[in-house]
Amino acid sequence: MEGYGLFLVLLVSALLLGFLSVLFALIWVFHYREGLSWDGGSAEFNWHPVLIITGFVFIQGIAIIVYRLPWTWKCSKLLIKFIHAGLNTIAMILAIVSLVAVFDFHNAKNIPNMYSLHSWIGLAAVIFYTLQLVLGFAVFLLPFAPVSLRASLMPIHIYSGLLIFATVIATALMGFTEKLIFALKNPAYSTSPPEAIFVNTLGLLILIFGALILWMATRPHWKRPPEQNSKIQQPNGGTPEGTEEESTMTDCSNTDKSDVEFNSEAAARKRNLKLDEVGQRSTM
């Protein structure tokens, strides 16, 4: 892998920033706010930032770069697909629960719903993220979609995933500012009290985390290489030429064994070719 050291530094940095973001969110709601509960009060609303940061930001970011982890390249791509889909499913569930907490809190306090730009973009992000997950599952995980459809939709799938992730980061930053403006009255947000500085720092952590994830996900030399155990389509069926075949029976150890066997067979062919050349020259 080209630039493995740099990739490792960025990955460790992203994981550290992600964990810190979740920790900061918990400190925010327990130290500066009312904690967590499900009673229609302010503590129920606090589930919203905690679940969004944990699921929609941190877990979604890890799901984006799971294909880029070089130590998973020896594993079956189908296994990585399941991990990718599973992480995104967890993120989607946490995002939906966070929305339920907000609507339940607003309804209990007779606060209007869906009036701010933060709420508009946030709800749109959850809807498109859910559609992205459902279509990705149907097209790329289930074995029914034709290869041509997968190939044509893959660039759209990648672009929309990165766009949704960036949108979530921006929406979270808007939500932090909106919450602080409404919640901080004495002292006001404009006077930069400790809570404001703390939450602004949380916003910077999320922003840098998102930037690292997007950078790692868009470097072409860190892309997962094609499957080495792909099969060529035969007239009676099989895998189309130039496409990848993922077997549910293939794991990391089996792939390593197949690579060793492949390399030994290739070396044997080279030795045979050299012997044939020597024999031809001797007859001349």
PDB file of all heavy atoms in Angstrom, residues 75-76 78-79 229 231 245-255:
ATOM      1  N   CYS A  75      -9.389 -10.312   3.148  1.00  0.00           N
ATOM      2  CA  CYS A  75     -10.668 -10.919   3.503  1.00  0.00           C
ATOM      3  C   CYS A  75     -11.636 -10.843   2.323  1.00  0.00           C
ATOM      4  O   CYS A  75     -11.450 -10.063   1.393  1.00  0.00           O
ATOM      5  CB  CYS A  75     -11.277 -10.220   4.720  1.00  0.00           C
ATOM      6  SG  CYS A  75     -10.258 -10.280   6.196  1.00  0.00           S
ATOM      7  N   SER A  76     -12.660 -11.664   2.396  1.00  0.00           N
ATOM      8  CA  SER A  76     -13.689 -11.653   1.364  1.00  0.00           C
ATOM      9  C   SER A  76     -14.341 -10.279   1.290  1.00  0.00           C
ATOM     10  O   SER A  76     -14.681  -9.681   2.313  1.00  0.00           O
ATOM     11  CB  SER A  76     -14.741 -12.714   1.674  1.00  0.00           C
ATOM     12  OG  SER A  76     -15.893 -12.526   0.880  1.00  0.00           O
ATOM     13  N   LEU A  78     -17.246  -9.719   0.256  1.00  0.00           N
ATOM     14  CA  LEU A  78     -18.626  -9.861   0.718  1.00  0.00           C
ATOM     15  C   LEU A  78     -18.706  -9.646   2.226  1.00  0.00           C
ATOM     16  O   LEU A  78     -19.650  -9.027   2.723  1.00  0.00           O
ATOM     17  CB  LEU A  78     -19.159 -11.242   0.346  1.00  0.00           C
ATOM     18  CG  LEU A  78     -20.620 -11.514   0.700  1.00  0.00           C
ATOM     19  CD1 LEU A  78     -21.536 -10.533  -0.005  1.00  0.00           C
ATOM     20  CD2 LEU A  78     -21.008 -12.945   0.354  1.00  0.00           C
ATOM     21  N   LEU A  79     -17.700 -10.139   2.965  1.00  0.00           N
ATOM     22  CA  LEU A  79     -17.667  -9.905   4.401  1.00  0.00           C
ATOM     23  C   LEU A  79     -17.553  -8.422   4.714  1.00  0.00           C
ATOM     24  O   LEU A  79     -18.247  -7.907   5.608  1.00  0.00           O
ATOM     25  CB  LEU A  79     -16.477 -10.665   5.011  1.00  0.00           C
ATOM     26  CG  LEU A  79     -16.191 -10.391   6.496  1.00  0.00           C
ATOM     27  CD1 LEU A  79     -17.368 -10.836   7.348  1.00  0.00           C
ATOM     28  CD2 LEU A  79     -14.905 -11.105   6.924  1.00  0.00           C
ATOM     29  N   ASN A 229      -9.167 -13.391  -6.645  1.00  0.00           N
ATOM     30  CA  ASN A 229      -9.727 -14.711  -6.912  1.00  0.00           C
ATOM     31  C   ASN A 229     -10.956 -14.639  -7.799  1.00  0.00           C
ATOM     32  O   ASN A 229     -11.871 -15.420  -7.688  1.00  0.00           O
ATOM     33  CB  ASN A 229     -10.080 -15.413  -5.598  1.00  0.00           C
ATOM     34  CG  ASN A 229     -11.098 -14.632  -4.792  1.00  0.00           C
ATOM     35  OD1 ASN A 229     -11.219 -13.429  -4.962  1.00  0.00           O
ATOM     36  ND2 ASN A 229     -11.803 -15.326  -3.911  1.00  0.00           N
ATOM     37  N   LYS A 231     -13.231 -14.955 -11.124  1.00  0.00           N
ATOM     38  CA  LYS A 231     -13.359 -16.050 -12.084  1.00  0.00           C
ATOM     39  C   LYS A 231     -13.835 -15.511 -13.421  1.00  0.00           C
ATOM     40  O   LYS A 231     -14.635 -14.603 -13.486  1.00  0.00           O
ATOM     41  CB  LYS A 231     -14.349 -17.099 -11.568  1.00  0.00           C
ATOM     42  CG  LYS A 231     -13.917 -17.705 -10.218  1.00  0.00           C
ATOM     43  CD  LYS A 231     -14.958 -18.686  -9.724  1.00  0.00           C
ATOM     44  CE  LYS A 231     -14.576 -19.261  -8.375  1.00  0.00           C
ATOM     45  NZ  LYS A 231     -15.615 -20.198  -7.879  1.00  0.00           N
ATOM     46  N   GLU A 245     -15.948 -11.580  -8.067  1.00  0.00           N
ATOM     47  CA  GLU A 245     -16.814 -12.617  -7.526  1.00  0.00           C
ATOM     48  C   GLU A 245     -16.503 -12.779  -6.054  1.00  0.00           C
ATOM     49  O   GLU A 245     -15.384 -13.091  -5.680  1.00  0.00           O
ATOM     50  CB  GLU A 245     -16.561 -13.924  -8.276  1.00  0.00           C
ATOM     51  CG  GLU A 245     -17.308 -15.128  -7.682  1.00  0.00           C
ATOM     52  CD  GLU A 245     -18.788 -15.044  -7.925  1.00  0.00           C
ATOM     53  OE1 GLU A 245     -19.203 -14.248  -8.778  1.00  0.00           O
ATOM     54  OE2 GLU A 245     -19.522 -15.777  -7.249  1.00  0.00           O
ATOM     55  N   GLU A 246     -17.472 -12.540  -5.188  1.00  0.00           N
ATOM     56  CA  GLU A 246     -17.268 -12.685  -3.772  1.00  0.00           C
ATOM     57  C   GLU A 246     -17.949 -13.966  -3.313  1.00  0.00           C
ATOM     58  O   GLU A 246     -19.133 -14.154  -3.528  1.00  0.00           O
ATOM     59  CB  GLU A 246     -17.838 -11.490  -3.000  1.00  0.00           C
ATOM     60  CG  GLU A 246     -17.216 -10.148  -3.351  1.00  0.00           C
ATOM     61  CD  GLU A 246     -17.868  -9.524  -4.546  1.00  0.00           C
ATOM     62  OE1 GLU A 246     -18.992  -9.932  -4.848  1.00  0.00           O
ATOM     63  OE2 GLU A 246     -17.252  -8.667  -5.184  1.00  0.00           O
ATOM     64  N   SER A 247     -17.220 -14.831  -2.653  1.00  0.00           N
ATOM     65  CA  SER A 247     -17.764 -16.087  -2.159  1.00  0.00           C
ATOM     66  C   SER A 247     -18.012 -15.980  -0.673  1.00  0.00           C
ATOM     67  O   SER A 247     -17.180 -15.487   0.081  1.00  0.00           O
ATOM     68  CB  SER A 247     -16.789 -17.237  -2.445  1.00  0.00           C
ATOM     69  OG  SER A 247     -17.218 -18.416  -1.813  1.00  0.00           O
ATOM     70  N   THR A 248     -19.157 -16.477  -0.212  1.00  0.00           N
ATOM     71  CA  THR A 248     -19.452 -16.444   1.213  1.00  0.00           C
ATOM     72  C   THR A 248     -18.580 -17.417   1.977  1.00  0.00           C
ATOM     73  O   THR A 248     -18.496 -17.348   3.204  1.00  0.00           O
ATOM     74  CB  THR A 248     -20.931 -16.816   1.440  1.00  0.00           C
ATOM     75  OG1 THR A 248     -21.197 -18.093   0.851  1.00  0.00           O
ATOM     76  CG2 THR A 248     -21.835 -15.782   0.810  1.00  0.00           C
ATOM     77  N   MET A 249     -17.920 -18.325   1.284  1.00  0.00           N
ATOM     78  CA  MET A 249     -17.062 -19.290   1.947  1.00  0.00           C
ATOM     79  C   MET A 249     -15.638 -18.806   2.063  1.00  0.00           C
ATOM     80  O   MET A 249     -14.799 -19.481   2.653  1.00  0.00           O
ATOM     81  CB  MET A 249     -17.080 -20.630   1.178  1.00  0.00           C
ATOM     82  CG  MET A 249     -18.464 -21.235   1.032  1.00  0.00           C
ATOM     83  SD  MET A 249     -19.213 -21.593   2.619  1.00  0.00           S
ATOM     84  CE  MET A 249     -18.137 -22.884   3.194  1.00  0.00           C
ATOM     85  N   THR A 250     -15.315 -17.636   1.490  1.00  0.00           N
ATOM     86  CA  THR A 250     -13.951 -17.135   1.488  1.00  0.00           C
ATOM     87  C   THR A 250     -13.723 -16.268   2.700  1.00  0.00           C
ATOM     88  O   THR A 250     -14.477 -15.354   2.933  1.00  0.00           O
ATOM     89  CB  THR A 250     -13.677 -16.304   0.224  1.00  0.00           C
ATOM     90  OG1 THR A 250     -13.951 -17.128  -0.909  1.00  0.00           O
ATOM     91  CG2 THR A 250     -12.221 -15.843   0.176  1.00  0.00           C
ATOM     92  N   ASP A 251     -12.662 -16.551   3.456  1.00  0.00           N
ATOM     93  CA  ASP A 251     -12.275 -15.707   4.568  1.00  0.00           C
ATOM     94  C   ASP A 251     -10.825 -15.326   4.407  1.00  0.00           C
ATOM     95  O   ASP A 251     -10.191 -15.602   3.404  1.00  0.00           O
ATOM     96  CB  ASP A 251     -12.524 -16.408   5.915  1.00  0.00           C
ATOM     97  CG  ASP A 251     -11.772 -17.735   6.007  1.00  0.00           C
ATOM     98  OD1 ASP A 251     -10.907 -17.977   5.138  1.00  0.00           O
ATOM     99  OD2 ASP A 251     -12.053 -18.506   6.941  1.00  0.00           O
ATOM    100  N   CYS A 252     -10.275 -14.663   5.442  1.00  0.00           N
ATOM    101  CA  CYS A 252      -8.913 -14.144   5.322  1.00  0.00           C
ATOM    102  C   CYS A 252      -7.907 -15.259   5.150  1.00  0.00           C
ATOM    103  O   CYS A 252      -7.020 -15.196   4.309  1.00  0.00           O
ATOM    104  CB  CYS A 252      -8.570 -13.318   6.568  1.00  0.00           C
ATOM    105  SG  CYS A 252      -9.663 -11.908   6.801  1.00  0.00           S
ATOM    106  N   SER A 253      -8.046 -16.334   5.917  1.00  0.00           N
ATOM    107  CA  SER A 253      -7.065 -17.406   5.847  1.00  0.00           C
ATOM    108  C   SER A 253      -7.139 -18.149   4.528  1.00  0.00           C
ATOM    109  O   SER A 253      -6.124 -18.517   3.940  1.00  0.00           O
ATOM    110  CB  SER A 253      -7.295 -18.384   7.006  1.00  0.00           C
ATOM    111  OG  SER A 253      -8.596 -18.930   6.946  1.00  0.00           O
ATOM    112  N   ASN A 254      -8.349 -18.356   4.026  1.00  0.00           N
ATOM    113  CA  ASN A 254      -8.483 -19.042   2.746  1.00  0.00           C
ATOM    114  C   ASN A 254      -7.897 -18.222   1.624  1.00  0.00           C
ATOM    115  O   ASN A 254      -7.291 -18.751   0.691  1.00  0.00           O
ATOM    116  CB  ASN A 254      -9.964 -19.331   2.457  1.00  0.00           C
ATOM    117  CG  ASN A 254     -10.521 -20.409   3.366  1.00  0.00           C
ATOM    118  OD1 ASN A 254      -9.768 -21.189   3.939  1.00  0.00           O
ATOM    119  ND2 ASN A 254     -11.828 -20.436   3.511  1.00  0.00           N
ATOM    120  N   THR A 255      -8.072 -16.900   1.688  1.00  0.00           N
ATOM    121  CA  THR A 255      -7.509 -16.044   0.656  1.00  0.00           C
ATOM    122  C   THR A 255      -5.996 -16.083   0.680  1.00  0.00           C
ATOM    123  O   THR A 255      -5.343 -16.089  -0.361  1.00  0.00           O
ATOM    124  CB  THR A 255      -8.005 -14.600   0.849  1.00  0.00           C
ATOM    125  OG1 THR A 255      -9.426 -14.603   0.908  1.00  0.00           O
ATOM    126  CG2 THR A 255      -7.548 -13.713  -0.283  1.00  0.00           C
TER     127      THR A 255
END
